[in-house]
Amino acid sequence: MTGVFNEAYASAYDAMYADKSNAAECDAVVSLFRKCGDRKISRLLDLGCGTGRHAIELAGRGFDVTGVDFSEAMLARARERAPGKGTLDFAQGDARSYRSAKPFDAVLMNFNVLGYMSSNQDFTAALATARANLRAGGVFVADFWYGPAVVIDPPGERLREITAGDSKILRCSRGTHEPDRQCISIAIRVIEVQQGQIRADSEEVHTMRYFFPLELELALQSHGFRLAALTGYPDIEKPASASEWLAALCAVAI
Protein backbone atom coordinates (compact mmCIF):
# COMPACT_ATOMS: atom_id res chain seq x y z
CA MET A 1 0.00 0.00 0.00
CA THR A 2 3.03 2.28 0.01
CA GLY A 3 3.20 5.08 -2.53
CA VAL A 4 -0.55 5.60 -2.87
CA PHE A 5 -3.00 8.26 -1.66
CA ASN A 6 -0.32 10.93 -1.67
CA GLU A 7 -0.95 14.69 -1.64
CA ALA A 8 -1.76 15.18 -5.33
CA TYR A 9 -4.16 12.22 -5.41
CA ALA A 10 -5.76 13.18 -2.10
CA SER A 11 -6.38 16.75 -3.27
CA ALA A 12 -8.43 15.50 -6.23
CA TYR A 13 -10.05 12.52 -4.48
CA ASP A 14 -13.39 14.04 -3.45
CA ALA A 15 -13.92 15.63 -6.86
CA MET A 16 -13.16 12.34 -8.63
CA TYR A 17 -15.72 10.48 -6.55
CA ALA A 18 -18.34 13.21 -6.14
CA ASP A 19 -20.92 11.07 -7.94
CA LYS A 20 -20.41 8.12 -5.60
CA SER A 21 -23.48 7.65 -3.42
CA ASN A 22 -22.11 7.48 0.10
CA ALA A 23 -25.64 7.78 1.50
CA ALA A 24 -26.80 4.68 -0.42
CA GLU A 25 -23.73 2.75 0.69
CA CYS A 26 -24.29 3.78 4.31
CA ASP A 27 -27.92 2.64 3.94
CA ALA A 28 -26.53 -0.77 2.93
CA VAL A 29 -24.14 -0.85 5.90
CA VAL A 30 -26.88 0.03 8.39
CA SER A 31 -29.18 -2.60 6.86
CA LEU A 32 -26.46 -5.21 7.35
CA PHE A 33 -26.14 -4.12 10.97
CA ARG A 34 -29.85 -4.82 11.42
CA LYS A 35 -29.68 -8.18 9.61
CA CYS A 36 -26.60 -9.53 11.37
CA GLY A 37 -26.10 -7.63 14.63
CA ASP A 38 -27.07 -9.18 17.96
CA ARG A 39 -28.05 -5.90 19.59
CA LYS A 40 -27.95 -2.13 19.12
CA ILE A 41 -24.83 -0.91 17.35
CA SER A 42 -23.57 2.53 18.33
CA ARG A 43 -19.72 2.61 18.25
CA LEU A 44 -18.15 2.17 14.81
CA LEU A 45 -14.54 1.85 13.65
CA ASP A 46 -14.03 2.86 10.01
CA LEU A 47 -10.70 1.37 8.90
CA GLY A 48 -9.28 3.04 5.80
CA CYS A 49 -11.66 5.98 6.17
CA GLY A 50 -9.97 8.12 3.50
CA THR A 51 -11.42 11.63 3.38
CA GLY A 52 -14.14 10.61 5.83
CA ARG A 53 -17.11 10.50 3.46
CA HIS A 54 -18.71 7.39 4.99
CA ALA A 55 -17.60 8.22 8.55
CA ILE A 56 -19.18 11.69 8.39
CA GLU A 57 -22.40 10.32 6.90
CA LEU A 58 -22.69 7.69 9.64
CA ALA A 59 -21.86 10.18 12.41
CA GLY A 60 -24.66 12.36 11.06
CA ARG A 61 -27.00 9.39 11.58
CA GLY A 62 -26.17 9.24 15.28
CA PHE A 63 -23.32 6.71 15.37
CA ASP A 64 -20.14 7.30 17.39
CA VAL A 65 -17.48 6.89 14.69
CA THR A 66 -13.70 6.62 14.79
CA GLY A 67 -12.09 6.89 11.37
CA VAL A 68 -8.58 5.54 10.84
CA ASP A 69 -6.37 5.93 7.77
CA PHE A 70 -2.65 5.63 7.09
CA SER A 71 -2.61 8.67 4.74
CA GLU A 72 -2.23 11.99 6.54
CA ALA A 73 -3.11 13.77 3.28
CA MET A 74 -6.50 12.02 3.20
CA LEU A 75 -7.09 12.57 6.93
CA ALA A 76 -6.39 16.30 6.58
CA ARG A 77 -9.35 16.56 4.22
CA ALA A 78 -11.52 14.44 6.49
CA ARG A 79 -10.83 16.74 9.42
CA GLU A 80 -11.60 19.82 7.33
CA ARG A 81 -15.07 18.46 6.56
CA ALA A 82 -15.81 16.96 9.98
CA PRO A 83 -16.64 19.80 12.44
CA GLY A 84 -20.24 19.69 13.62
CA LYS A 85 -20.90 16.31 12.01
CA GLY A 86 -21.83 14.34 15.14
CA THR A 87 -19.65 12.20 17.40
CA LEU A 88 -16.63 11.69 15.22
CA ASP A 89 -12.87 11.33 15.59
CA PHE A 90 -10.07 10.69 13.12
CA ALA A 91 -6.71 9.06 13.81
CA GLN A 92 -3.68 8.06 11.77
CA GLY A 93 -3.21 4.30 11.74
CA ASP A 94 -2.90 1.15 9.66
CA ALA A 95 -5.79 -1.23 8.94
CA ARG A 96 -3.33 -4.09 9.43
CA SER A 97 -2.26 -3.14 12.94
CA TYR A 98 -4.53 -0.53 14.57
CA ARG A 99 -5.67 -1.36 18.10
CA SER A 100 -8.14 0.56 20.26
CA ALA A 101 -8.25 0.42 24.05
CA LYS A 102 -12.02 -0.12 23.94
CA PRO A 103 -13.86 -2.55 21.62
CA PHE A 104 -16.35 -1.39 19.01
CA ASP A 105 -19.79 -2.67 18.07
CA ALA A 106 -18.89 -2.72 14.37
CA VAL A 107 -15.81 -2.46 12.16
CA LEU A 108 -16.11 -1.21 8.58
CA MET A 109 -13.84 -1.33 5.56
CA ASN A 110 -15.54 0.83 2.93
CA PHE A 111 -14.69 1.43 -0.73
CA ASN A 112 -12.68 -1.76 -1.26
CA VAL A 113 -10.17 -1.21 1.54
CA LEU A 114 -10.02 -5.00 1.86
CA GLY A 115 -8.85 -5.18 -1.75
CA TYR A 116 -5.72 -3.21 -0.90
CA MET A 117 -4.66 -6.17 1.26
CA SER A 118 -3.14 -7.84 -1.78
CA SER A 119 -0.85 -10.30 0.02
CA ASN A 120 -2.01 -13.05 2.36
CA GLN A 121 0.05 -11.44 5.12
CA ASP A 122 -1.76 -8.12 4.74
CA PHE A 123 -5.17 -9.78 4.29
CA THR A 124 -4.89 -11.89 7.45
CA ALA A 125 -3.45 -8.96 9.40
CA ALA A 126 -6.47 -6.83 8.42
CA LEU A 127 -8.89 -9.57 9.54
CA ALA A 128 -7.00 -9.92 12.82
CA THR A 129 -7.26 -6.15 13.30
CA ALA A 130 -10.99 -6.17 12.64
CA ARG A 131 -11.53 -8.97 15.17
CA ALA A 132 -9.24 -7.44 17.81
CA ASN A 133 -11.26 -4.22 17.76
CA LEU A 134 -14.68 -5.89 18.02
CA ARG A 135 -16.69 -7.05 21.00
CA ALA A 136 -18.10 -10.57 20.86
CA GLY A 137 -21.23 -10.46 18.72
CA GLY A 138 -20.05 -7.32 16.94
CA VAL A 139 -20.12 -7.15 13.15
CA PHE A 140 -17.53 -6.65 10.45
CA VAL A 141 -18.75 -5.17 7.15
CA ALA A 142 -16.61 -4.75 4.04
CA ASP A 143 -17.26 -4.22 0.35
CA PHE A 144 -14.89 -5.86 -2.12
CA TRP A 145 -14.39 -7.02 -5.70
CA TYR A 146 -16.13 -10.34 -6.30
CA GLY A 147 -13.69 -12.80 -7.88
CA PRO A 148 -16.06 -14.64 -10.25
CA ALA A 149 -17.18 -11.35 -11.81
CA VAL A 150 -13.64 -10.03 -12.24
CA VAL A 151 -12.46 -13.23 -13.94
CA ILE A 152 -15.39 -13.13 -16.36
CA ASP A 153 -15.07 -9.42 -17.14
CA PRO A 154 -11.46 -8.24 -16.54
CA PRO A 155 -10.55 -4.54 -16.50
CA GLY A 156 -9.48 -2.26 -19.30
CA GLU A 157 -8.74 1.44 -19.72
CA ARG A 158 -10.92 4.34 -18.64
CA LEU A 159 -10.78 8.11 -19.04
CA ARG A 160 -12.94 10.45 -16.97
CA GLU A 161 -13.16 14.23 -17.06
CA ILE A 162 -14.46 15.93 -13.92
CA THR A 163 -15.26 19.62 -13.46
CA ALA A 164 -14.33 20.97 -10.03
CA GLY A 165 -14.97 24.71 -9.70
CA ASP A 166 -12.74 26.46 -12.23
CA SER A 167 -10.60 23.33 -12.70
CA LYS A 168 -10.87 20.21 -14.79
CA ILE A 169 -9.54 16.90 -13.56
CA LEU A 170 -8.61 14.14 -15.97
CA ARG A 171 -8.45 10.67 -14.42
CA CYS A 172 -6.84 8.09 -16.68
CA SER A 173 -6.77 4.51 -15.43
CA ARG A 174 -5.30 1.36 -16.93
CA GLY A 175 -5.93 -1.98 -15.30
CA THR A 176 -3.57 -4.95 -15.69
CA HIS A 177 -5.06 -8.29 -14.66
CA GLU A 178 -2.72 -10.63 -12.76
CA PRO A 179 -4.90 -13.74 -12.31
CA ASP A 180 -2.21 -15.86 -10.65
CA ARG A 181 -2.05 -13.28 -7.85
CA GLN A 182 -5.83 -12.60 -7.79
CA CYS A 183 -4.91 -8.95 -8.34
CA ILE A 184 -5.44 -6.05 -10.66
CA SER A 185 -2.76 -3.37 -10.84
CA ILE A 186 -4.36 -0.06 -11.77
CA ALA A 187 -2.13 2.74 -12.99
CA ILE A 188 -4.01 5.96 -12.24
CA ARG A 189 -2.85 9.27 -13.68
CA VAL A 190 -4.53 12.42 -12.38
CA ILE A 191 -4.09 15.70 -14.28
CA GLU A 192 -5.58 18.92 -12.92
CA VAL A 193 -5.99 21.75 -15.41
CA GLN A 194 -6.85 25.30 -14.34
CA GLN A 195 -7.33 28.17 -16.81
CA GLY A 196 -5.67 26.15 -19.54
CA GLN A 197 -2.58 25.37 -17.47
CA ILE A 198 -1.60 22.05 -15.93
CA ARG A 199 -1.64 22.63 -12.20
CA ALA A 200 -0.84 19.06 -11.10
CA ASP A 201 0.10 15.83 -12.81
CA SER A 202 0.65 12.67 -10.78
CA GLU A 203 0.50 8.91 -11.21
CA GLU A 204 0.00 6.12 -8.68
CA VAL A 205 -0.27 2.36 -9.08
CA HIS A 206 -2.98 0.77 -6.92
CA THR A 207 -2.75 -3.01 -6.59
CA MET A 208 -6.16 -4.47 -5.73
CA ARG A 209 -7.03 -8.03 -4.77
CA TYR A 210 -10.32 -9.74 -5.53
CA PHE A 211 -11.85 -12.51 -3.43
CA PHE A 212 -13.85 -15.71 -3.83
CA PRO A 213 -16.65 -16.88 -1.48
CA LEU A 214 -15.05 -20.03 -0.03
CA GLU A 215 -11.74 -18.20 0.45
CA LEU A 216 -13.47 -15.48 2.46
CA GLU A 217 -15.49 -17.93 4.56
CA LEU A 218 -12.38 -19.93 5.51
CA ALA A 219 -10.27 -16.84 6.27
CA LEU A 220 -13.01 -15.30 8.41
CA GLN A 221 -13.52 -18.54 10.35
CA SER A 222 -9.81 -18.77 11.11
CA HIS A 223 -9.88 -15.24 12.57
CA GLY A 224 -12.84 -15.64 14.91
CA PHE A 225 -15.73 -14.72 12.61
CA ARG A 226 -18.86 -16.35 11.26
CA LEU A 227 -19.78 -15.24 7.75
CA ALA A 228 -23.40 -14.08 8.11
CA ALA A 229 -24.10 -12.51 4.70
CA LEU A 230 -22.52 -12.25 1.26
CA THR A 231 -24.49 -9.83 -0.89
CA GLY A 232 -24.51 -7.47 -3.80
CA TYR A 233 -23.47 -3.89 -3.11
CA PRO A 234 -24.93 -1.41 -2.47
CA ASP A 235 -28.12 -3.38 -3.14
CA ILE A 236 -27.78 -5.95 -0.35
CA GLU A 237 -31.11 -7.55 -1.23
CA LYS A 238 -29.37 -9.18 -4.18
CA PRO A 239 -26.84 -12.00 -3.75
CA ALA A 240 -23.23 -11.52 -4.81
CA SER A 241 -23.16 -12.27 -8.52
CA ALA A 242 -20.70 -13.18 -11.26
CA SER A 243 -22.32 -10.39 -13.29
CA GLU A 244 -21.30 -7.62 -10.83
CA TRP A 245 -17.84 -6.71 -9.55
CA LEU A 246 -19.10 -5.13 -6.31
CA ALA A 247 -20.11 -7.27 -3.35
CA ALA A 248 -20.26 -6.98 0.42
CA LEU A 249 -19.69 -9.29 3.35
CA CYS A 250 -21.01 -9.15 6.87
CA ALA A 251 -19.35 -11.32 9.50
CA VAL A 252 -20.11 -11.73 13.21
CA ALA A 253 -17.36 -11.89 15.83
CA ILE A 254 -17.56 -15.12 17.81
Side-chain angles (χ1 to χ4, degrees), residues 25-46 54-55 57-59 61-65 104-110 134-135 137-142 226 228-229 231 233 236-237 248-252:
E25 292 177 357
C26 288
D27 287 344
V29 167
V30 172
S31 293
L32 287 170
F33 290 167
R34 295 192 184 113
K35 283 177 178 287
C36 305
D38 63 339
R39 60 179 186 265
K40 180 177 172 60
I41 291 174
S42 58
R43 295 189 69 245
L44 312 182
L45 174 62
D46 185 0
H54 293 92
E57 173 73 23
L58 289 164
R61 299 184 185 206
F63 293 98
D64 179 348
V65 186
F104 291 84
D105 300 316
V107 172
L108 314 177
M109 290 186 184
N110 293 305
L134 273 174
R135 61 167 175 81
V139 296
F140 170 47
V141 176
R226 172 179 58 84
T231 72
Y233 187 77
I236 66 163
E237 299 306 317
L249 67 86
C250 185
V252 178

Side-chain angles (χ1 to χ4, degrees), residues 14 19 42 50 52 59 62 65 78 103 107 151 154 158 184 186 206 232:
D14 285 330
D19 59 349
S42 58
V65 186
V107 172
V151 170
R158 291 186 64 192
I184 295 168
I186 306 176
H206 295 235

Side-chain angles (χ1 to χ4, degrees), residues 33-212:
F33 290 167
R34 295 192 184 113
K35 283 177 178 287
C36 305
D38 63 339
R39 60 179 186 265
K40 180 177 172 60
I41 291 174
S42 58
R43 295 189 69 245
L44 312 182
L45 174 62
D46 185 0
L47 288 172
C49 67
T51 61
R53 293 158 64 95
H54 293 92
I56 291 169
E57 173 73 23
L58 289 164
R61 299 184 185 206
F63 293 98
D64 179 348
V65 186
T66 297
V68 173
D69 202 277
F70 76 94
S71 170
E72 285 289 2
M74 299 287 274
L75 287 171
R77 282 148 186 87
R79 293 184 179 111
E80 286 173 2
R81 303 167 63 221
K85 301 293 184 179
T87 306
L88 179 62
D89 184 42
F90 290 106
Q92 197 279 333
D94 194 314
R96 298 165 293 186
S97 58
Y98 178 81
R99 296 293 186 273
S100 172
K102 184 179 178 182
F104 291 84
D105 300 316
V107 172
L108 314 177
M109 290 186 184
N110 293 305
F111 206 2
N112 204 17
V113 168
L114 198 62
Y116 281 91
M117 309 300 149
S118 57
S119 70
N120 282 337
Q121 181 179 0
D122 287 349
F123 175 43
T124 56
L127 294 183
T129 295
R131 182 62 187 89
N133 287 290
L134 273 174
R135 61 167 175 81
V139 296
F140 170 47
V141 176
D143 63 84
F144 63 96
W145 286 350
Y146 191 57
V150 177
V151 170
I152 289 172
D153 182 23
E157 297 186 9
R158 291 186 64 192
L159 173 63
R160 290 182 60 208
E161 180 177 311
I162 304 106
T163 300
D166 61 351
S167 299
K168 286 190 181 297
I169 297 170
L170 299 177
R171 182 187 186 275
C172 314
S173 64
R174 183 180 66 257
T176 301
H177 191 196
E178 301 177 57
D180 291 332
R181 295 179 60 211
Q182 283 184 219
C183 286
I184 295 168
S185 291
I186 306 176
I188 302 174
R189 185 179 180 189
V190 178
I191 304 169
E192 185 175 354
V193 179
Q194 189 175 53
Q195 296 178 346
Q197 301 293 318
I198 295 177
R199 180 181 173 188
D201 186 348
S202 65
E203 185 167 344
E204 299 184 352
V205 177
H206 295 235
T207 300
M208 314 289 287
R209 179 173 177 168
Y210 50 86
F211 298 93
F212 293 90

Side-chain angles (χ1 to χ4, degrees), residues 230-251:
L230 189 63
T231 72
Y233 187 77
D235 184 355
I236 66 163
E237 299 306 317
K238 295 181 179 179
S241 167
S243 64
E244 297 287 345
W245 274 38
L246 296 183
L249 67 86
C250 185

